[in-house]
Amino acid sequence: MVEVIVSADNLETLDWSPWLDFESKIASIPDSSVGVYKMHESMKILYIGSSQNLRQSLLDCLSDPCIGKTKRFSYAITENADKVKDQLLDEYRSKHNGRLPICMEGVH
């Protein structure tokens, strides 16, 4: 996969990875990559996150009781991960009557 660094102003141009099997594909993420990620199970987004080290953050998700149910994930490399995450959450909320993904309810 080609890594593309995207500014926070351009969500449409994010170069998302394909949906990957959660546990078996974490090692394929480039070391110390900065970006955003989405976790899903049964066609529902469970969590949207950002990180300065995607691989480590995904490994940490394995121990979370809610996020650990994830079957697949997708990620995008971006220089402004926190801003992009906020925009992704705003977009999610607008499509889901103001609700957050299930593993984020009560967090924000």
Side-chain angles (χ1 to χ4, degrees):
M1 182 176 87
V2 176
E3 290 184 28
V4 176
I5 297 175
V6 179
S7 73
D9 301 326
N10 235 344
L11 281 182
E12 296 82 33
T13 62
L14 280 174
D15 185 23
W16 288 98
S17 71
W19 286 102
L20 303 167
D21 291 332
F22 187 43
E23 290 187 53
S24 65
K25 297 296 182 181
I26 294 172
S28 68
I29 297 173
D31 195 31
S32 300
S33 296
V34 177
V36 292
Y37 56 96
K38 300 182 284 188
M39 318 290 277
H40 93 84
E41 182 207 26
S42 301
M43 303 306 291
K44 292 182 184 176
I45 298 293
L46 297 180
Y47 189 83
I48 296 171
S50 63
S51 178
Q52 298 301 303
N53 185 332
L54 285 170
R55 184 187 302 167
Q56 187 58 52
S57 291
L58 289 165
L59 287 170
D60 292 346
C61 286
L62 291 171
S63 63
D64 183 281
C66 187
I67 303 170
K69 296 183 230 177
T70 296
K71 300 296 182 205
R72 302 179 74 182
F73 73 99
S74 182
Y75 70 94
I77 307 296
T78 178
E79 59 191 22
N80 297 313
D82 291 334
K83 278 184 146 180
V84 172
K85 174 188 171 187
D86 290 342
Q87 289 180 320
L88 290 168
L89 288 172
D90 287 344
E91 184 178 276
Y92 184 93
R93 282 186 194 109
S94 72
K95 292 178 180 178
H96 295 89
N97 297 320
R99 298 193 71 183
L100 288 168
I102 193 165
C103 292
M104 299 181 80
E105 291 179 352
V107 175
H108 291 273

